[in-house]
Amino acid sequence: MLDEHLVRLLNARAACALEVGRLKRELNVPIYQPDREAEVLKNVQDWNTGPLDQAAIKRLFERIIDEARHLERIADEVELKQRPTSDE
């Protein structure tokens, strides 16, 4: 039951990442934003009360962020392929 809840939350977060990626494309903002990622990592470590230690939380969220960035890049590539070319 808990694992199912985690999967649902991770997928909800991924859906948000796709929307953020779409907005980044519209605003011509780079996908990789190290300052924002550092802020997220700091926040999750601040919220952590254990029993996972700070390093474990950081590793878990680094992976989650990496997967979200991967989704944003895939969505970006798909959109580029779907755009009409000047030849059309």
Side-chain angles (χ1 to χ4, degrees):
M1 183 76 166
L2 186 57
D3 288 338
E4 179 184 355
H5 190 59
L6 282 170
V7 168
R8 290 180 195 276
L9 289 172
L10 288 168
N11 279 312
R13 192 182 194 289
C16 290
L18 287 171
E19 179 62 16
V20 167
R22 184 187 66 75
L23 292 170
K24 286 179 181 178
R25 280 191 302 284
E26 285 180 11
L27 299 172
N28 203 26
V29 173
I31 289 173
Y32 178 57
Q33 297 181 305
D35 291 342
R36 175 64 183 133
E37 291 183 16
E39 181 182 348
V40 170
L41 293 173
K42 180 190 178 311
N43 287 340
V44 297
Q45 288 177 300
D46 288 348
W47 298 327
N48 182 33
T49 59
L52 291 172
D53 65 19
Q54 300 298 62
I57 291 295
K58 183 178 181 189
R59 284 191 308 273
L60 286 167
F61 272 85
E62 284 173 335
R63 187 64 187 158
I64 290 167
I65 291 167
D66 184 54
E67 290 301 325
R69 195 179 325 113
H70 179 72
L71 271 177
E72 289 180 39
R73 284 193 178 113
I74 289 171
D76 197 31
E77 291 169 10
V78 168
E79 183 175 309
L80 288 173
K81 289 178 184 176
Q82 292 176 347
R83 285 185 188 162
T85 63
S86 57
D87 296 340
E88 293 179 24

